[in-house]
Amino acid sequence: MPECPNCFYIMDHFDAECPRCRGQSLSATDRAFYAAQKYVSACRMSRTPDSVIQSQLVQAGWSVGDAAALVRGRRPPVGPAASCVGDQYWVPSGSQLTVGGRRIALGLVYAGRGLRSVLGHSSEPALLDPALPVASSRAHHAEDIGYWPTYERLAPQQRALYLDWLASDRAHPQMGIGYVFLFFYGLERRALADGQASPMAAQERKAIAAEVRRLLRVYGGNHSFRSYAVSLLDAIAILEPGAADGPVTAPLGDGAPVGSHMTRFVLGKLVSNGTPLPWDWSLAWWLSSDSCRLRTPAKRCPEEFRALVRARFASRFGPGLLVKPNKTVLTIDYQAASPTFGGGLKLRIDGMPDVSRLQSPLAKIGALVEECQTALEPYSRWLGRNPDGRGTLQSLASLPGELARAVACGDAERLRVQLDRAAEQHRFWAMPARELIETWGCSDSESPSKRDCTAICELLGRLGYGVEPDVRFHGPRLTSDATVVVFRLPEGSPASPSSAYTAAAALLHLFLTVAEADGAVAEEEQRQISEHIRGNTDLSPAEMTRLAAYSRWLMHTKPGLVGLSKRAAHFSAGQRESIRRFLVSVAAVDGRISPEEITVLQRLYKMLGVDPDAVHGDVHALAATSSRDRFATVVRADPDRREYEIPAQAGAPGPASGTVELDMDAVRAILADTSEVAALLGGIFADEEPSDEAATLGEEARIAGLDARHSALVRRIRGLEAVGRDEFGSWAEELGLLPEGALDAINDAAWDACDDPLLEGDETLAVSSAVMEELLTCK
Amino acid sequence: MQVTEPIKARDRDAIVQSLRAGVVPRAGHQHIQVGRANEVAALTSDLDRIAEGGSGLRFVIGEFGSGKTFFLYLIRAIALRKRLVTVHADLTPDRRLQGTGGQARALYSELMRNMATRSSPDGGALPAVVERFVATAVSEAREAGVSAGAVILERMGSLSEMVGGYDFAQVVEAYWRGHDTGSDVLKGDAIRWLRGEFSTKTDARSALGVRTIIDDAEVYDHLKLTARLARLAGFGGLLVCLDEMVNLYKMANTRARNGNYEQVLRIVNDCLQGGVEGLGFLMGGTPDFLTDTRKGLYSYEALQSRLVENRFAVDGLVDLSGPVVRLASLTPEDMYVLLTRLRHVFAGGDPSLYLVPDEALQAFMECCSQQIGDAYFRTPRNTIKEFLDLLAVLEQNPGTDWHDLLGGVRVQVEADTDLAPLSALEEGEEPESRQTEGDDELSGFRL
């Protein structure tokens, strides 16, 4: 049949004029289209498969998308106004094409021949060139295709693998990350390079972002891919029209990961609106900054970490951190994954400040975050030893207070309700220690270890209650048959005794012991005790409350001075001397020493292992020196203070026999001057059996100058390649060593012996086998 | 030169990566130290004296880019090998020796965070030092069958006479108690206190039962206490490295500046008179910081008279016995040796792996010299970076000829940002922007 020589239109018969082109001259686009159309129908006649027609069209220079349209008999939708070079090669989402015999249904790739990179120096790395050979057998998934892959440089087997992946649902979890990157290159170019020139490409950004998010779900485990992908998502979100005016969500609000670009963008947005930075974006700022140093606590317990940052941020900065806008304009320095850009792009966002350059707000946030990490360290370490322990009663003891109150834990709640009920009726009340021990669930419920006792006291502290005796305050350990005194802790209660408290408690103990010498503690004596407590200006109100609880426990339990002589045996002569002097001066505070006091002193001397007759000499020595002058006055007596009576005059008639009258001012003066003695006294009454929790050691050889315990620890590590820090810590503690110190000492010995450390690393300590070998031969 | 000694991969990577990023490496300084043998020897003997319980103080003075920081790191590395404990920090507008708004405490915290021992050279060694001391007390107590807490207090008794010593001892004892009772909270609080991280006395009291905190006024006193602790823990002593002292010079407020110089004077007096035990200071700064009579150390009369240098030590004559060590700039010969060292390090210590022959080094130097003149060896940071970049390219592209690459060498003169106008810095915001804002990237566009 005849054909129009101008537009190749097949006419029914020879006419003077072609009905399609009417003999007019054609535009180049039209001519090309008509020629292609003719080619397609010719191929159809010879029963050539569509895929072959399509690939031949592509070889002739048509983009893959256009070729696909031509095969389907449609005119390619190329509008000259809305196109850029990339448009002609891009296969949009949902369009099909066939390359290398694979039907790729999902689109989102560049295909065709001749597309140059954005930079223009080489061909586009992500371009699927149908002319390149594809093998019938595939390369292995895991085979590394190196950095900066390009489709062009792939081996035919690798192309087969890549095309099969593209033709599949693109979610094979074992797919080599290089291929995923190759696919990602195309998405990146489309969104950022084409997206700037072509409105059509800009409209596709949403679909591209969705695809990137999908890839992240599958391949996000790869750090490198994750960071590039998140960064692309950021850039797409920032380029979104109206992004600068849109609402600010939380960085983790909709589950989309947020990178440093987005963080800087949102910070700029908040600051330029004069909105205080909320906790989550402040944290995101710090996390994306150079000063970000996340330590184990934040990594091991991310939930708790965020909760703590949130709580402390609120208490420190209220609604948020107010930052003044700065002048530097925000420029997003986008580092492209694809080599097509030859580096990256700069996205300058006029009118938006680059808050990330400000140092002082960041320093404030950093300090807060660091504080939170430190506060979580005990909990994190506990969790390391008890990985399944989240949310249990035991975990509460090491959680920071703010979090402990928020954790829902049935046992803790029951305990709290029980204590709250009791606290409504009493300020102090006694309860059997057994109840606490059983709630806690110690391994040895008869006499829990010191650690368990500490944890019980800490737990009650978290719930707002104090216990006496408390091992942290030199109290004895709890036993199941003991009675404890419980009280509501005032705000800001200490968790550790001050030396004033230690001394006051020791003195109280002595005092009660002496007072009890004649049987019961008289009312008058009880009154004196409470005055003793209230009159001590060195104590904070919270400490006074605790001391009051301690006195009730003393009166209830009457621990006496049992064991004093046993412990006193360990004191050096010098220490014994100091205590002796202290006791005498206590007895002499009222300016005179009565015969009763001498008797009591003699008893105490005996307990201390000192000759009781030495009392007379000591008393004389004290009387001979002008006793008052020896004491520096620390706190002047306040005449307006009416809480206790100031003794009328030194040398006035003494109090009724059987009681010991104390001049509290003088006692304070003594205490202030003899803090060392106070510590010793604390030691006397403390539950200080030498810690025998440490394992006893056999007589094995010492290693490289280390002592027996350290040597045992080294032997324990022998043969291991690495050891977790927590594990190392608990081994050290089993041997009665302090973990950090032991690590330093062992490495020090290794340095001495082999000029290299034995153990290195942060969370996991790598053991150098060479050093270990050398060390073991060192005696 | 120890050309045959293999270099550990770890050291090699640390050196190459840091130098390429333009910062001083944290390890392996001995491999790339060039020249300055006398200075190193003088300071090494200082370290020996400190390790024997003496004291020492040196101002390390050098022009911008002359390698002060590198030198301080080197000395610090030597100090660690001599079993000293080191702490180091850069001074900044927010971290000074004296302050009223927490600046001195901030400096102290930074120092303590960076505490290093031979076994933990990267910092964070404070708990280790405390524990080593406690461990000695524990084993003593174990043998004597007494309480470790009492032994700790007894052994630290001598500290009680020093300012802040009583509470310092209490806190160390509290650390032990925390360990003994299994209270990580108490241990953590004790370390926080020792690092100067408690900001109010109330907090310190309720956490640890002590009345004081490490305050702006007591920073130097606590450094002395820490030095004693280090000695009690079995180390030789404490070396304090303070870099970027020029930040004191840059302070605009005369009273605040003099307050800081007063602290410097205290330190100078104590260390030079031997009033402290096992404590040494190294302070790095530029010549302005030292000799400017308007704003430098010389503006403070008492310091000037103590620090003025030997008038005979001029024209190449040196006196390394005074407290001031002036770092001479590198010479072209030093630079050449440095390049050979770098090549050696890059090859992991194996001469058969050298990427360029000797003549390339000279050609490289000529190339740099043509571009920036003497600056290529006086402020070698950029030269070193460029050289390592060159080696990196040669390594990754085997078969490339170094002649071809030499044409692409671009070194820039480094701008001295230390003396940036302070008004902006004083407001605490936007620090120097070192990178030039060249928009040479493609496709920059506006939104």
Side-chain angles (χ1 to χ4, degrees):
Chain A
M1 270 193 263
E3 184 184 77
C4 167
N6 193 19
C7 72
F8 317 117
Y9 185 72
I10 315 280
M11 293 180 285
D12 293 339
H13 44 79
F14 282 103
D15 273 349
E17 194 181 35
C18 162
R20 181 157 73 179
C21 64
R22 299 180 203 288
Q24 306 278 317
S25 67
L26 295 169
S27 71
T29 343
D30 283 349
R31 186 190 301 278
F33 169 62
Y34 296 143
Q37 208 178 26
K38 177 192 164 193
Y39 174 74
V40 171
S41 49
C43 292
R44 284 267 161 72
M45 305 281 272
S46 60
R47 296 185 185 275
T48 314
D50 280 0
S51 59
V52 176
I53 306 177
Q54 194 184 332
S55 65
Q56 301 214 332
L57 280 171
V58 168
Q59 280 191 30
W62 287 88
S63 81
V64 173
D66 291 355
L70 282 165
V71 171
R72 287 201 299 274
R74 286 199 215 121
R75 178 156 187 162
V78 181
S83 82
C84 67
V85 187
D87 280 349
Q88 296 165 26
Y89 292 85
W90 179 251
V91 184
S93 172
S95 300
Q96 296 189 5
L97 81 157
T98 305
V99 183
R102 272 85 173 170
R103 210 172 64 95
I104 296 171
L106 295 172
L108 293 175
V109 287
Y110 287 103
R113 300 211 66 190
L115 178 63
R116 310 297 292 170
S117 70
V118 172
L119 207 57
H121 292 337
S122 55
S123 52
E124 167 59 38
L127 181 69
L128 302 182
D129 184 341
L132 295 171
V134 179
S136 53
S137 64
R138 290 184 305 191
H140 190 265
H141 288 124
E143 191 189 347
D144 188 18
I145 55 170
Y147 283 115
W148 313 110
T150 72
Y151 183 75
E152 205 177 359
R153 288 210 310 265
L154 290 184
Q157 287 90 346
Q158 293 172 335
R159 287 199 198 106
L161 174 65
Y162 180 52
L163 291 174
D164 279 343
W165 179 77
L166 284 178
S168 71
D169 58 355
R170 301 172 181 175
H172 191 297
Q174 259 80 53
M175 190 68 182
I177 199 71
Y179 297 102
V180 182
F181 262 112
L182 189 53
F183 174 57
F184 179 77
Y185 289 170
L187 300 176
E188 190 180 43
R189 171 172 183 164
R190 186 65 182 163
L192 300 185
D194 293 1
Q196 288 180 48
S198 144
M200 196 159 74
Q203 278 170 10
E204 287 167 13
R205 280 184 183 140
K206 274 213 172 76
I208 291 177
E211 179 67 5
V212 173
R213 271 195 282 274
R214 187 192 66 79
L215 286 176
L216 260 179
R217 279 195 294 276
V218 184
Y219 302 104
N222 182 293
H223 282 296
S224 169
F225 181 73
R226 186 177 185 82
S227 81
Y228 280 114
V230 168
S231 161
L232 177 61
L233 286 176
D234 278 2
I236 290 176
I238 291 167
L239 292 170
E240 190 72 28
D245 312 317
V248 172
T249 52
L252 285 174
D254 50 0
V258 158
S260 59
H261 300 325
M262 195 61 196
T263 306
R264 286 166 67 201
F265 184 75
V266 174
L267 290 174
K269 198 155 110 176
L270 290 166
V271 166
S272 55
N273 292 342
T275 318
L277 302 182
W279 74 275
D280 42 7
W281 282 108
S282 303
L283 179 61
W285 179 5
W286 184 80
L287 288 173
S288 68
S289 73
D290 291 340
S291 45
C292 167
R293 256 174 276 165
L294 275 189
R295 295 187 285 114
T296 319
K299 287 184 202 150
R300 189 179 281 158
C301 9
E303 297 292 315
E304 290 86 350
F305 171 64
R306 292 175 62 81
L308 187 62
V309 171
R310 180 179 196 162
R312 298 219 168 157
F313 190 89
S315 69
R316 189 150 324 160
F317 303 119
L321 190 60
L322 206 56
V323 177
K324 268 197 312 199
N326 52 331
K327 293 198 192 80
T328 315
V329 174
L330 180 62
T331 305
I332 303 279
D333 199 352
Y334 181 83
Q335 288 299 319
S338 170
T340 193
F341 296 95
L345 339 153
K346 290 199 169 174
L347 316 178
R348 188 181 151 95
I349 298 152
D350 281 327
M352 191 167 279
D354 187 356
V355 182
S356 69
R357 317 233 341 168
L358 299 177
Q359 295 298 313
S360 64
L362 184 64
K364 278 185 209 153
I365 300 167
L368 179 90
V369 171
E370 187 46 46
E371 181 194 309
C372 292
Q373 296 202 74
T374 310
L376 273 175
E377 259 169 16
Y379 177 69
S380 154
R381 224 166 288 143
W382 186 86
L383 212 55
R385 287 194 290 261
N386 308 278
D388 305 323
R390 262 202 177 84
T392 60
L393 189 65
Q394 284 82 355
S395 74
L396 292 190
S398 46
L399 263 184
E402 309 74 330
L403 297 185
R405 276 186 282 280
V407 170
C409 165
D411 291 337
E413 210 39 53
R414 255 190 306 284
L415 187 57
R416 192 205 314 263
V417 169
Q418 185 198 345
L419 294 174
D420 283 349
R421 202 169 298 144
E424 280 166 20
Q425 293 167 15
H426 314 279
R427 274 187 73 208
F428 304 95
W429 69 97
M431 65 186 278
R434 182 186 296 279
E435 280 184 34
L436 290 179
I437 296 169
E438 276 169 5
T439 315
W440 178 254
C442 303
S443 49
D444 177 3
S445 58
E446 281 312 305
S447 70
S449 70
K450 211 177 219 180
R451 271 162 191 272
D452 280 331
C453 294
T454 309
I456 290 174
C457 296
E458 280 178 348
L459 170 69
L460 257 71
R462 296 281 182 273
L463 299 176
Y465 291 92
V467 191
E468 273 301 329
D470 186 327
V471 278
R472 297 173 300 162
F473 290 80
H474 300 303
R477 292 202 317 226
L478 301 175
T479 50
S480 61
D481 53 353
T483 301
V484 294
V485 173
V486 183
F487 57 101
R488 199 192 274 279
L489 281 176
E491 276 301 307
S493 285
S496 181
S498 65
S499 52
Y501 178 84
T502 308
L507 198 61
L508 189 67
H509 193 158
L510 266 183
F511 187 91
L512 270 171
T513 309
V514 175
E516 269 163 20
D518 55 355
V521 181
E523 242 178 67
E524 170 65 10
E525 287 165 331
Q526 288 202 19
R527 192 186 59 78
Q528 276 185 22
I529 290 170
S530 43
E531 277 180 5
H532 162 68
I533 295 170
R534 267 181 287 135
N536 192 331
T537 48
D538 281 352
L539 297 180
S540 69
E543 284 176 322
M544 287 184 196
T545 310
R546 182 171 281 280
L547 202 57
Y550 183 58
S551 75
R552 276 168 176 75
W553 177 76
L554 284 173
M555 281 188 271
H556 184 279
T557 310
K558 300 190 177 58
L561 293 174
V562 188
L564 171 62
S565 43
K566 189 180 112 210
R567 284 194 291 265
H570 297 308
F571 285 124
S572 69
Q575 286 171 329
R576 228 168 279 175
E577 188 61 31
S578 328
I579 295 171
R580 233 166 95 181
R581 270 207 308 279
F582 176 72
L583 291 175
V584 176
S585 52
V586 166
V589 282
D590 53 0
R592 59 187 285 278
I593 294 178
S594 65
E596 291 79 14
E597 283 170 330
I598 294 203
T599 319
V600 173
L601 279 174
Q602 279 180 325
R603 272 181 55 208
L604 288 169
Y605 269 42
K606 211 168 159 189
M607 287 177 183
L608 275 170
V610 180
D611 176 12
D613 290 338
V615 169
H616 307 293
D618 289 347
V619 168
H620 173 77
L622 186 69
T625 57
S626 169
S627 62
R628 286 303 173 97
D629 295 345
R630 284 178 53 243
F631 306 133
T633 307
V634 174
V635 182
R636 288 252 166 245
D638 179 355
D640 295 334
R641 229 183 142 95
R642 286 272 160 244
E643 282 165 19
Y644 56 91
E645 292 299 316
I646 297 171
Q649 195 186 342
S657 78
T659 61
V660 180
E661 190 80 47
L662 296 181
D663 172 353
M664 297 318 298
D665 258 357
V667 168
R668 272 198 300 285
I670 298 166
L671 286 179
D673 289 340
T674 51
S675 38
E676 192 192 343
V677 174
L680 286 172
L681 280 175
I684 297 181
F685 296 109
D687 181 34
E688 284 278 8
E689 315 104 71
S691 12
D692 46 10
E693 288 167 30
T696 43
L697 296 169
E699 277 304 306
E700 278 189 89
R702 310 259 166 119
I703 296 168
L706 290 167
D707 68 8
R709 286 169 203 277
H710 286 93
S711 304
L713 188 54
V714 173
R715 264 192 287 278
R716 181 122 197 208
I717 304 162
R718 178 171 52 189
L720 298 177
E721 276 177 19
V723 52
R725 200 172 260 265
D726 290 323
E727 207 175 1
F728 178 85
S730 44
W731 290 350
E733 275 166 28
E734 279 167 29
L735 287 163
L737 295 169
L738 291 90
E740 296 280 335
L743 181 61
D744 201 85
I746 290 174
N747 273 339
D748 227 17
W751 271 106
D752 282 339
C754 338
D755 225 18
D756 237 343
L758 175 68
L759 298 158
E760 274 185 296
D762 294 327
E763 279 150 56
T764 313
L765 300 165
V767 184
S768 156
S769 55
V771 174
M772 176 63 94
E773 228 166 81
E774 212 175 326
L775 207 56
L776 288 173
T777 58
C778 256
K779 290 287 172 307
Chain B
M1 254 188 282
Q2 66 283 48
V3 270
T4 48
E5 182 193 325
I7 292 167
K8 277 180 234 150
R10 195 181 54 209
D11 280 357
R12 175 200 183 267
D13 294 348
I15 293 170
V16 172
Q17 278 169 17
S18 309
L19 291 179
R20 285 186 70 183
V23 297
V24 174
R26 285 179 297 127
H29 308 92
Q30 69 277 18
H31 299 302
I32 47 173
Q33 169 60 24
V34 168
R36 294 180 180 157
N38 295 331
E39 287 89 343
V40 173
L43 279 144
T44 308
S45 72
D46 279 9
L47 296 179
D48 287 331
R49 199 170 60 242
I50 296 165
E52 283 159 15
S55 60
L57 165 96
R58 296 277 185 166
F59 291 92
V60 177
I61 302 295
E63 291 288 355
F64 169 78
S66 62
K68 292 181 295 296
T69 304
F70 182 88
F71 189 75
L72 290 184
Y73 271 56
L74 176 73
I75 301 301
R76 203 163 68 76
I78 299 174
L80 291 175
R81 287 305 195 84
K82 292 194 176 289
R83 303 210 62 237
L84 294 178
V85 175
T86 69
V87 291
H88 66 103
D90 288 355
L91 269 70
T92 66
D94 297 328
R95 292 204 292 258
R96 310 175 192 151
L97 284 168
Q98 191 266 346
T100 46
Q103 297 95 334
R105 195 163 58 80
L107 176 70
Y108 188 80
S109 296
E110 182 67 13
L111 285 169
M112 290 299 127
R113 284 189 166 272
N114 290 333
M115 180 178 282
T117 63
R118 181 167 61 168
S119 308
S120 2
D122 298 337
L126 180 60
V129 172
V130 173
E131 288 195 1
R132 290 202 67 174
F133 165 66
V134 172
T136 59
V138 170
S139 67
E140 188 182 321
R142 213 176 256 140
E143 267 161 39
V146 295
S147 115
V151 176
I152 289 170
L153 289 174
E154 193 184 334
R155 294 193 57 191
M156 296 193 92
S158 61
L159 269 60
S160 309
E161 293 136 31
M162 298 164 69
V163 178
Y166 179 71
D167 278 348
F168 189 86
Q170 293 292 315
V171 171
V172 173
E173 196 263 344
Y175 186 92
W176 154 251
R177 242 181 310 121
H179 174 79
D180 189 41
T181 56
S183 168
D184 281 347
V185 179
L186 186 56
K187 270 164 82 174
D189 283 338
I191 290 296
R192 277 178 58 215
W193 191 93
L194 291 172
R195 281 203 296 236
E197 286 174 15
F198 273 99
S199 52
T200 67
K201 292 182 180 174
T202 326
D203 287 352
R205 174 148 193 175
S206 72
L208 293 156
V210 293
R211 289 165 175 280
T212 57
I213 55 171
I214 298 177
D215 219 336
D216 278 338
E218 281 128 35
V219 160
Y220 173 54
D221 296 305
H222 275 93
L223 286 175
K224 289 200 276 193
L225 288 167
T226 308
R228 294 288 284 271
L229 176 69
R231 284 183 67 76
L232 287 172
F235 295 94
L238 179 73
L239 178 71
V240 183
C241 300
L242 298 170
D243 204 355
E244 307 294 347
M245 292 291 283
V246 73
N247 276 295
L248 300 186
Y249 166 79
K250 289 198 292 185
M251 287 167 65
N253 184 317
T254 314
R255 244 178 67 199
R257 195 173 59 233
N258 282 341
N260 276 276
Y261 288 164
E262 210 169 293
Q263 291 296 322
V264 175
L265 179 66
R266 262 187 86 192
I267 296 172
V268 169
N269 281 345
D270 272 4
C271 289
L272 296 186
Q273 291 164 1
V276 288
E277 190 185 321
L279 178 62
F281 280 85
L282 282 184
M283 303 192 193
T286 53
D288 314 272
F289 157 67
L290 179 69
T291 48
D292 188 305
T293 48
R294 208 167 42 85
K295 284 163 74 189
L297 284 179
Y298 277 14
S299 67
Y300 200 84
E301 197 129 317
L303 278 170
Q304 184 177 7
S305 59
R306 282 164 180 78
L307 300 181
V308 75
E309 288 153 275
N310 192 334
R311 249 168 297 157
F312 302 102
V314 287
D315 297 333
L317 299 174
V318 287
D319 172 17
L320 288 170
S321 59
V324 175
V325 175
R326 282 186 183 267
L327 289 186
S329 294
L330 293 183
T331 62
E333 292 73 27
D334 287 336
M335 191 70 212
Y336 180 80
V337 177
L338 178 56
L339 292 184
T340 61
R341 290 281 177 95
L342 290 174
R343 178 181 63 175
H344 185 68
V345 168
F346 207 94
D350 182 353
S352 68
L353 295 178
Y354 284 176
L355 288 162
V356 287
D358 286 352
E359 73 240 41
L361 306 181
Q362 223 156 352
F364 176 79
M365 284 168 65
E366 271 159 28
C367 182
C368 295
S369 170
Q370 280 159 17
Q371 287 182 29
I372 54 172
D374 282 358
Y376 85 90
F377 60 85
R378 290 194 194 283
T379 53
R381 193 190 324 241
N382 283 340
T383 316
I384 291 169
K385 186 172 172 310
E386 194 68 15
F387 183 66
L388 289 173
D389 285 351
L390 179 83
L391 292 184
V393 171
L394 285 171
E395 186 189 36
Q396 286 166 40
N397 301 280
T400 319
D401 189 356
W402 61 266
H403 291 98
D404 300 341
L405 291 173
L406 220 48
V409 168
R410 295 276 175 278
V411 282
Q412 284 174 346
V413 181
E414 245 179 292
D416 181 357
T417 47
D418 278 358
L419 297 175
L422 201 68
S423 52
L425 284 166
E426 285 274 282
E427 276 145 42
E429 313 296 355
E430 305 232 7
E432 71 272 26
S433 57
R434 264 190 193 183
Q435 71 277 41
T436 44
E437 287 269 339
D439 238 38
D440 50 359
E441 303 271 2
L442 66 148
S443 34
F445 76 98
R446 284 158 188 265
L447 198 80

